[in-house]
Amino acid sequence: MKVKKKVLGLSTVVLATSIFAVACGGDDNLEEAMQEERNDAEENNNNADAGEEADNDTNENEGNEEASGEAQDGGDLTIGIVSDPVQFLPTHSSDTASGDIEDIVFNQLVRIDEEIEIQPELAVDWEESEDGLTYTFEIHEGVTFHDGEPLTADDVAFTFNIFIDEDYTGPRGGYFRALEEVEALDETTVEFRLSEPDARFLGNLGFGIMPEHILGDVPATELEEHDFTRDPVGSGPFEFDTWEDGQYVQLTAYEDYWEGAPHLDRLTLSIVGDQNAMMAQIEGGDIEMGVVPATDFSTAERWDEEGLVTLSSTLGYQYNYMGYNTRLDMFSDKETRQALTHAIDRQTIIDQVGQGQGEVAHGPVSPLSWAYPDSMPEFEYDPDLARELLEEAGWEEGGDGILERDGERFSFTLKTNSGNQIREDIAVIIQSMLNEVGVEVDVEYVEWGAFLDQIYPPNWDFDAIILGWALGTDPDPRAIWHTEEIEQGQNYTGFSRDDVDELIDENVLIVDQDERAEALHEIFEIIAEEQPYTFLYYPNDLVAIPTNLEGFIHHPRLSYYKPHEWYFTAE
Amino acid sequence: MLSYILRRIIMAVPILIGISILTFSVMHLAPGSPTSMLLAPDIGPEVRIAFEERYGLNDPIPVQYVKWMGAMIQGDMGYSLVRVGMPVSEMIMNRLPNTLILMGASTIIAIVISIPLGIISARRQYTVTDYSVTFGSFVGIATPNFWIGLLLIMWLSVNLGWFPSGGTHTLNEPFSILDRLHHLFLPALVLATADMAGLTRYSRSSMLEVIRQDYMRTARAKGFTENTVIYKHGLRNGLIPIITIFGLMLPSFFAGSVVVERIFAWPGIGDLLITSVFQRDYPVIMGITMISAVLVVLGNLLADIAYAIFDPRIEY
Amino acid sequence: MQQEPVNMPSSTPPEPGPNDPKLKKKPDTLTKIILTKFFRNKLAVAGGIVLFIIVTMAIFAPLIAPQNPGDVEMDLLNRLAPPSTEFIMGTDDFGRDIFSRVLYGAQVSLLVGFLAMLGGAIIGTVMGSLAGYFGGRVDALIMRLVDILISFPNIFLLILLIAFFSPSVGLLIVFLASLGWMSTARLVRGEFLSLRQREYVLAAKTLGMKTNRIIFQHILPNALGPIIVASTLSVGNLIIVESVLSFLGLGVQPPTPSWGNMLQSAQNYTIMRDAWWYPVFPGLMIFITVLSINFVGDGLRDAFDPKMR
């Protein structure tokens, strides 16, 4: 995995954001529609046995070979999305659908590329002071918002000052705790001043720049109620046109786009409600591009062979896991947890639930990340070893064939949110696999809202759960693994180790990426050794695109990456 | 007549209040809250409290109810918790027309198919035709309509490609009434199935009742042909009771719309209800519940009034 | 998915004809008449037989089913296998035998339908008796409650209840019952109103008979016919409601199989396209069962209907 030196911190941005997104996204059914979407994304895979290779540009464009046609300008592209967007306000919105559209309508100072590295976008360049407390950005000239007003350093300062406004109630205040002030020095120069060094800082900048001339006078508390959230004005390649509630969002090409006018005339994001409708409409031709659920991989693959669509696949930047409530006696020792992981055949789960589309996971970090350690502890599927280890950990077979330790039967409830077919299926499979080694598992599906309520602090009302995390571009593990995140945060399992806490506190202060990587490797190795989760797998991300669409880059994190470079070839 | 209508309207008020209290209590007594749904757990208590205050979620439930009701009476249904700043009334108005169009189309389909079938069945009582119609209506009642919907989508939309599988119209095309009808047909048909069965059987028994009446015999005795007797005399009297059944069909239409809209990606309020339930968007749930209750009550009222107008025997 | 069999005009109480006193004298004859009439109705008898078979198979599922539905067959070779002699209804996406799951699902679906009906009938009878016996304010209150619940798509309320409470099967039955008693209550109340003033009830009263005895000896037996008819028909309806709720992800939660949640799992696009047997068989079971129940209910209605005697 090459790492460009120039790019220092990878972005943190997404960790928090993304965690929240998954959390939201996880939901079900019905609503849960968002979740479904996430799910889909989760399950896909690419070519199956991709092994440990973290090569994400696998079959990026199978379509290439068909690219014999001529490039042409113009054309409309209809993209299916599962759920309705919520609001368009980059500083506040947290759902996947809104975020994806904001990625098209707005420009950011920097943006992560398909190798999860930070690249300048509006920024021409930036400088970081010796002490790591000041970042100075030079931005492009001649960028205009869709209403024709120029985008200047003032707009950048305006946008980021919202996060540190004392009245800011959005979900991202946490990423900017170290940020003290943002100031425009001139038309194209903006300076960020921090109270302490923060290795994650650059990653925090991946938010759309909003126009001060429209929102400048709106108090922070009223931003979310402003009409802008339903009719946003950005500077991105496509401008917001219409939003028909529950039906579609339409974006039209911004001819004066500073990186060059988009080739396509119009993007229509059609809201289809669920994955099955998405598949039916892709086949019917009503939708040309959309996420394919892993459960429908075989169908999509057939369409690819028949020339109906091009199926693109890449390793998703996320993982699914089974988390243990380490507060319980039965899960309190790592030997037991490791044994359980040995008893779970994760490759079979991928094959069964995700039609082979994914890679077995061993730790809380993606192999796509520079922070992935070389020597991650791995606990391979080996039920005999699992039984042996359980015995060593003090578990003995009771009268009914279920293990017992100190009079406690090894019997627990595995919860996940209802309506998420993939997680439900994983639970059933794990139930039967653990049964093989003498562990009794009850499976329970709980509606998303009630589920969150049960697992959130201070309830922690669960034995074990199945969930997924979308990973942030910055690998800082604090939000899930620091002791401080137990009482108020997402460390549901109650994982706590002083040495890990210390390392986490330190890692964000290390600005040099290589040095920081060492600290992170250590953290991840400890967590993987402890197995507070059984890390299940990294699902692949599958997208069906029109066979004559070129310029599409399958980004592991962003649904629509550089859409102004997409074009149709004449067939 | 007028006083009758007024009386009916006044009677509807406690019903609507009852429905609102029921729905409100169910929502607020349930475990889990919109706060845990909408805010990440790492959000500080200040933000949480601010959020709850902003939406009055920390008031005692009766207080919340009274506040909500007070605003509701003034026509203010509040704001969505999820789509911040979006008035509930606007969200509902964006979608209600779609639901009404769907229900209207279903009603027409149900009438066009069921009433003639019911009449034919009654005229040929105890014949093969009668038995087939009766059997057919049993089939309609016994099949979950989402199942019919799914099978029809797979068969007619996906395999044969005759109908679009979802949505209200083809995107990026100019408005076309044909295109709209094309999209409308399958969902409307599926929504109609459950009630078609009932309507057919109702028309049949209603016609049977009429056929046995004295005036029919009189008409026959006068030498009118059987067709004249049936369609001129029988139909009018036989159809009057059917009017009331439309009022009764409304709740089942709303119930059916939840599922049908979901399957056919039809952006109506049934679909919105489900989405809102899963997002715990309380104000939207309340809004949809109340709007449907008002429509159902109104529908019944209209049906009764129509009945009164058509049936001269009834006096008020 | 109508909540109430609104479309059953004759589920209104039969007008008590002049033969009612007779009814008391010669109950055996009446039962005989009803049975004779019922057995003359071929559809009803056929429905009864089919229903009997289904119920028996559900009860003896552990003996009949080739597979325990709890087992997850991890054999990818048997995943979504088409119907064959080994798997007569094919297998699902876990390679589980659909026939076995349909049998065990029958237990759950029938239990939910039957117990919810029973609950609804009991609540309805109690409420209807209270309203009919006491009249006045009690009556007004109960009837308002009935109006509220009837003039409202109560699947909305069910969706809320179930989504927010994530209920177990038991609680699901309670919820269904508590929203399914209104038509019974109306029937019973109607019977009270029409019989309260009848001579023999008045006579019983003047003779100093206890209220309870009057209700149980005189009034309820009269209402029994319509209650049985309405309840029978409601079982079918409840099975459908359970499947609809399952379709929305709100019914009986897997891995416990019910016909509804099997249909929900079968809803995946690829399965619908490539494995027709998965969505078709559980749906067919719902269809056949509800159809049989309705035939039986309809036969009972005709049999109880004094006009058709």
Side-chain angles (χ1 to χ4, degrees):
Chain A
M1 188 120 266
K2 56 191 164 159
V3 174
K4 281 181 198 149
K5 274 287 141 73
K6 176 192 168 194
V7 186
L8 289 182
L10 293 209
S11 75
T12 320
V13 161
V14 205
L15 181 59
T17 337
S18 56
I19 282 175
F20 191 62
V22 175
C24 292
D27 132 322
D28 60 32
N29 195 339
L30 315 207
E31 106 350 348
E32 60 211 287
M34 297 183 209
Q35 165 179 16
E36 302 277 302
E37 188 178 40
R38 170 61 54 196
N39 241 346
D40 302 357
E42 275 168 19
E43 305 291 330
N44 307 329
N45 142 359
N46 202 15
N47 307 326
D49 40 353
E52 312 298 350
E53 271 276 53
D55 221 1
N56 67 323
D57 43 4
T58 34
N59 50 348
E60 204 126 277
N61 277 328
E62 298 175 359
N64 279 345
E65 69 226 44
E66 293 153 43
S68 47
E70 254 169 71
Q72 43 171 226
D73 274 351
D76 298 344
L77 180 63
T78 306
I79 304 171
I81 55 177
V82 170
S83 50
D84 242 330
V86 170
Q87 57 171 181
F88 300 108
L89 193 65
T91 48
H92 289 69
S93 54
S94 53
D95 65 297
T96 325
S98 308
D100 284 349
I101 293 171
E102 284 162 8
D103 281 345
I104 305 176
V105 173
F106 293 91
N107 279 128
Q108 305 172 353
L109 268 188
V110 294
R111 195 182 294 260
I112 50 167
D113 65 13
E114 67 272 28
E115 301 188 341
I116 317 291
E117 287 169 19
I118 295 181
Q119 301 295 349
E121 185 169 298
L122 281 175
V124 178
D125 201 359
W126 61 84
E127 266 174 38
E128 188 190 332
S129 66
E130 287 281 310
D131 55 8
L133 295 179
T134 311
Y135 289 80
T136 312
F137 283 84
E138 200 61 38
I139 65 167
H140 280 281
E141 276 180 75
V143 179
T144 52
F145 283 109
H146 301 145
D147 60 1
E149 294 286 320
L151 184 154
T152 67
D154 285 317
D155 296 298
V156 178
F158 162 73
T159 301
F160 286 96
N161 277 319
I162 292 175
F163 293 111
I164 50 176
D165 189 304
E166 55 181 22
D167 289 330
Y168 174 74
T169 53
R172 315 246 161 69
Y175 316 138
F176 294 96
R177 278 193 200 114
L179 183 62
E180 287 204 315
E181 196 185 6
V182 190
E183 192 186 353
L185 301 181
D186 59 44
E187 285 275 291
T188 58
T189 316
V190 61
E191 189 175 274
F192 292 74
R193 283 190 284 277
L194 277 60
S195 55
E196 55 178 8
D198 185 349
R200 302 162 300 183
F201 178 72
L202 279 176
N204 280 345
L205 301 178
F207 293 105
I209 302 302
M210 303 193 291
E212 184 178 23
H213 65 274
I214 296 178
L215 296 171
D217 298 331
V218 183
T221 47
E222 289 165 29
L223 276 174
E224 287 190 278
E225 272 128 56
H226 196 277
D227 284 344
F228 186 87
T229 62
R230 271 161 271 159
D231 188 13
V233 176
S235 58
F238 288 82
E239 57 183 302
F240 199 86
D241 191 322
T242 38
W243 177 8
E244 278 294 330
D245 210 1
Q247 302 190 48
Y248 60 88
V249 171
Q250 205 154 61
L251 310 175
T252 48
Y254 180 41
E255 294 303 331
D256 297 328
Y257 185 56
W258 61 279
E259 286 184 289
H263 298 294
L264 302 178
D265 292 334
R266 192 156 55 171
L267 298 181
T268 304
L269 296 112
S270 174
I271 299 150
V272 297
D274 72 22
Q275 301 169 0
N276 297 318
M278 173 94 87
M279 290 296 283
Q281 295 195 30
I282 291 175
E283 180 160 31
D286 300 322
I287 282 176
E288 299 167 277
M289 172 170 165
V291 168
V292 172
T295 46
D296 292 315
F297 171 73
S298 57
T299 303
E301 203 179 32
R302 196 167 62 224
W303 292 346
D304 183 284
E305 283 158 15
E306 290 165 359
L308 179 69
V309 296
T310 296
L311 179 63
S312 177
S313 169
T314 193
L315 193 66
Y317 207 53
Q318 52 190 325
Y319 66 89
N320 291 331
Y321 64 90
M322 165 168 166
Y324 304 104
N325 190 342
T326 60
R327 299 164 192 85
L328 304 176
D329 281 342
M330 70 176 83
F331 297 131
S332 59
D333 58 309
K334 74 174 177 192
E335 290 75 17
T336 300
R337 300 191 299 256
Q338 289 169 355
L340 293 180
T341 302
H342 278 301
I344 296 172
D345 182 355
R346 291 167 284 175
Q347 189 58 49
T348 294
I349 292 178
I350 300 173
D351 292 342
Q352 176 74 34
V353 173
Q355 299 199 7
Q357 302 297 296
E359 252 179 55
V360 171
H362 299 283
V365 57
S366 168
L368 300 178
S369 169
W370 53 269
Y372 194 89
D374 297 328
S375 49
M376 183 79 89
E378 298 180 359
F379 303 94
E380 299 299 342
Y381 174 60
D382 186 344
D384 294 329
L385 181 61
R387 280 187 209 101
E388 226 168 273
L389 291 175
L390 283 169
E391 204 179 321
E392 278 170 30
W395 294 98
E396 285 166 13
E397 196 173 311
D400 54 356
I402 301 300
L403 297 176
E404 279 178 15
R405 180 169 70 180
D406 306 331
E408 184 192 23
R409 286 178 84 239
F410 205 159
S411 167
F412 67 92
T413 302
L414 179 56
K415 276 184 193 171
T416 193
N417 55 306
S418 59
N420 185 320
Q421 181 94 46
I422 280 161
R423 290 185 195 147
E424 291 180 358
D425 289 355
I426 293 174
V428 173
I429 295 176
I430 288 181
Q431 176 184 38
S432 104
M433 288 173 172
L434 292 185
N435 223 332
E436 293 288 304
V437 296
V439 177
E440 183 180 76
V441 181
D442 282 324
V443 171
E444 190 181 333
Y445 305 138
V446 186
E447 186 267 330
W448 185 240
F451 180 68
L452 288 185
D453 214 54
Q454 290 172 11
I455 66 171
Y456 276 1
N459 299 335
W460 303 305
D461 174 20
F462 66 96
D463 302 339
I465 50 173
I466 292 176
L467 266 181
W469 287 131
L471 290 159
T473 35
D474 186 272
D476 178 34
R478 162 175 287 272
I480 304 175
W481 304 108
H482 198 285
T483 306
E484 284 172 11
E485 301 294 324
I486 296 178
E487 293 297 326
Q488 183 183 311
Q490 318 211 51
N491 187 350
Y492 313 125
T493 60
F495 174 80
S496 174
R497 260 181 67 147
D498 293 344
D499 53 349
V500 169
D501 289 348
E502 258 168 53
L503 283 164
I504 292 177
D505 291 340
E506 276 166 25
N507 97 84
V508 295
L509 301 176
I510 309 172
V511 184
D512 180 83
Q513 184 169 303
D514 290 339
E515 276 178 46
R516 190 179 169 214
E518 281 175 35
L520 287 168
H521 289 170
E522 200 177 337
I523 297 172
F524 294 136
E525 284 164 14
I526 296 174
I527 295 171
E529 172 73 19
E530 285 277 347
Q531 291 281 307
Y533 293 171
T534 287
F535 300 94
L536 296 170
Y537 67 105
Y538 308 103
N540 276 18
D541 190 44
L542 297 172
V543 179
I545 58 172
T547 50
N548 61 339
L549 183 75
E550 290 300 320
F552 172 79
I553 296 172
H554 198 155
H555 195 293
R557 265 216 64 92
L558 305 177
S559 302
Y560 314 119
Y561 184 61
K562 302 201 172 183
H564 56 286
E565 294 178 357
W566 299 354
Y567 62 91
F568 286 122
T569 53
E571 289 190 70
Chain B
M1 188 69 194
L2 205 65
S3 79
Y4 168 75
I5 295 174
L6 264 177
R7 217 165 59 228
R8 286 292 309 264
I9 292 176
I10 291 167
M11 270 168 61
V13 171
I15 292 182
L16 293 177
I17 293 179
I19 290 171
S20 68
I21 292 179
L22 254 176
T23 317
F24 206 87
S25 340
V26 166
M27 266 182 345
H28 288 269
L29 295 177
S33 71
T35 328
S36 56
M37 190 84 179
L38 297 173
L39 300 179
D42 53 347
I43 281 196
E46 331 78 49
V47 177
R48 193 172 293 269
I49 290 166
F51 177 85
E52 287 179 344
E53 257 167 23
R54 184 162 162 204
Y55 293 102
L57 292 169
N58 50 358
D59 290 332
I61 293 171
V63 174
Q64 288 190 44
Y65 176 76
V66 171
K67 278 187 184 167
W68 174 84
M69 197 63 195
M72 179 80 192
I73 288 170
Q74 297 160 34
D76 174 8
M77 295 200 263
Y79 290 86
S80 163
L81 298 182
V82 175
R83 287 179 56 181
V84 182
M86 184 71 159
V88 172
S89 49
E90 195 179 323
M91 287 173 82
I92 292 180
M93 286 320 291
N94 280 343
R95 288 171 174 253
L96 189 59
N98 291 324
T99 298
L100 295 179
I101 288 172
L102 183 62
M103 290 185 181
S106 289
T107 311
I108 292 172
I109 292 177
I111 291 176
V112 168
I113 297 181
S114 298
I115 294 185
L117 278 182
I119 294 171
I120 292 168
S121 191
R123 281 195 63 185
R124 315 207 176 140
Q125 203 186 358
Y126 304 131
T127 63
V128 176
T129 319
D130 182 27
Y131 287 130
S132 328
V133 170
T134 306
F135 189 85
S137 58
F138 270 119
V139 170
I141 293 175
T143 328
N145 55 9
F146 69 90
W147 191 56
I148 301 183
L150 289 175
L151 296 184
L152 285 182
I153 288 180
M154 290 317 290
W155 181 40
L156 296 181
S157 300
V158 173
N159 289 345
L160 296 176
W162 290 355
F163 292 96
S165 63
T168 59
H169 61 279
T170 308
L171 296 176
N172 298 329
E173 297 279 332
F175 179 86
S176 140
I177 190 81
L178 275 179
D179 179 57
R180 299 266 167 170
L181 290 175
H182 195 206
H183 281 78
L184 180 57
F185 182 73
L186 272 192
L189 181 70
V190 171
L191 183 57
T193 46
D195 287 302
M196 253 156 59
L199 195 57
T200 307
R201 306 190 66 204
Y202 201 91
S203 326
R204 174 179 177 271
S205 56
S206 178
M207 277 310 285
L208 279 179
E209 204 100 325
V210 168
I211 286 171
R212 295 188 196 133
Q213 299 293 323
D214 291 343
Y215 59 84
M216 297 289 282
R217 233 174 283 150
T218 316
R220 277 190 207 105
K222 279 186 187 161
F224 288 124
T225 64
E226 187 63 18
N227 275 343
T228 319
V229 173
I230 294 279
Y231 293 106
K232 226 176 142 194
H233 301 267
L235 203 55
R236 182 163 174 243
N237 294 301
L239 289 189
I240 290 169
I242 296 176
I243 294 171
T244 41
I245 205 173
F246 285 114
L248 296 174
M249 273 163 62
L250 265 175
S252 87
F253 266 163
F254 272 105
S257 71
V258 170
V259 167
V260 171
E261 288 177 6
R262 196 102 205 143
I263 298 176
F264 288 94
W266 188 266
I269 60 169
D271 180 56
L272 182 63
L273 177 79
I274 294 293
T275 311
S276 308
V277 165
F278 283 104
Q279 293 176 337
R280 304 251 164 160
D281 200 340
Y282 289 180
V284 180
I285 299 173
M286 285 306 293
I288 294 176
T289 310
M290 290 320 289
I291 288 285
S292 354
V294 168
L295 287 176
V296 167
V297 169
L298 212 65
N300 275 319
L301 183 60
L302 285 179
D304 286 355
I305 292 171
Y307 190 74
I309 291 171
F310 283 110
D311 192 342
R313 286 172 302 183
I314 295 181
E315 280 179 35
Y316 297 93
Chain C
M1 27 181 268
Q2 47 278 68
Q3 325 299 307
E4 296 290 318
V6 289
N7 41 335
M8 307 299 165
S10 30
S11 63
T12 49
E15 294 135 39
N19 50 345
D20 268 339
K22 247 199 285 170
L23 175 154
K24 213 201 130 214
K25 271 193 232 156
K26 302 192 241 167
D28 288 344
T29 329
L30 185 70
T31 313
K32 217 171 156 190
I33 293 174
I34 290 172
L35 285 179
T36 318
K37 276 178 64 186
F38 180 81
F39 281 110
R40 232 188 290 140
N41 185 332
K42 284 182 199 123
L43 275 183
V45 172
I49 293 171
V50 172
L51 203 57
F52 178 76
I53 295 172
I54 292 172
V55 172
T56 314
M57 288 178 77
I59 292 172
F60 294 104
L63 300 178
I64 303 169
Q67 255 185 28
N68 176 340
D71 288 346
V72 180
E73 187 72 43
M74 223 70 72
D75 185 3
L76 287 175
L77 292 177
N78 281 335
R79 198 172 173 271
L80 293 176
S84 62
T85 45
E86 189 185 358
F87 307 107
I88 60 172
M89 290 183 182
T91 64
D92 68 6
D93 49 339
F94 283 112
R96 293 177 296 199
D97 178 36
I98 290 176
F99 176 62
S100 304
R101 287 179 59 80
V102 159
L103 287 181
Y104 280 91
Q107 294 183 337
V108 176
S109 294
L110 291 172
L111 199 73
V112 168
F114 183 76
L115 289 184
M117 172 277 282
L118 209 64
I122 292 170
I123 301 176
T125 307
V126 171
M127 292 298 228
S129 309
L130 289 176
Y133 187 80
F134 291 106
R137 276 215 193 136
V138 179
D139 182 29
L141 197 73
I142 292 176
M143 283 303 110
R144 269 306 85 73
L145 193 56
V146 169
D147 286 344
I148 289 170
L149 291 176
I150 277 185
S151 62
F152 174 67
N154 53 25
I155 191 134
F156 281 22
L157 215 50
L158 271 175
I159 288 171
L160 286 186
L161 276 171
I162 294 166
F164 289 179
F165 286 91
S166 295
S168 57
V169 177
L171 208 51
L172 176 69
I173 292 171
V174 171
F175 287 150
L176 287 171
S178 57
L179 289 175
W181 52 273
M182 290 84 72
S183 56
T184 309
R186 280 192 161 173
L187 283 174
V188 173
R189 173 180 175 268
E191 201 65 27
F192 265 85
L193 293 188
S194 65
L195 293 186
R196 202 159 49 172
Q197 302 307 325
R198 296 201 81 80
E199 293 141 30
Y200 65 91
V201 174
L202 286 176
K205 254 187 187 169
T206 27
L207 287 174
M209 262 175 83
K210 290 237 174 77
T211 315
N212 287 345
R213 283 191 68 185
I214 300 177
I215 293 177
F216 287 108
Q217 270 193 1
H218 298 283
I219 298 183
L220 285 186
N222 264 301
L224 205 58
I227 294 177
I228 289 175
V229 172
S231 299
T232 309
L233 292 170
S234 81
V235 176
N237 192 42
L238 284 162
I239 289 175
I240 289 193
V241 169
E242 191 276 322
S243 76
V244 169
L245 290 171
S246 287
F247 168 78
L248 297 172
L250 296 171
V252 175
Q253 291 297 320
T256 305
S258 81
W259 292 337
N261 72 29
M262 289 179 74
L263 277 184
Q264 202 247 346
S265 318
Q267 238 197 99
N268 171 274
Y269 188 78
T270 297
I271 292 176
M272 298 272 297
R273 285 215 60 157
D274 300 346
W276 57 266
W277 53 90
Y278 194 5
V280 162
F281 285 115
L284 264 183
M285 288 305 291
I286 294 178
F287 168 67
I288 293 171
T289 308
V290 177
L291 192 65
S292 312
I293 290 173
N294 285 348
F295 283 154
V296 171
D298 212 47
L300 286 174
R301 181 174 57 218
D302 289 347
F304 277 112
D305 189 347
K307 274 186 289 186
M308 294 181 65
R309 241 167 242 167

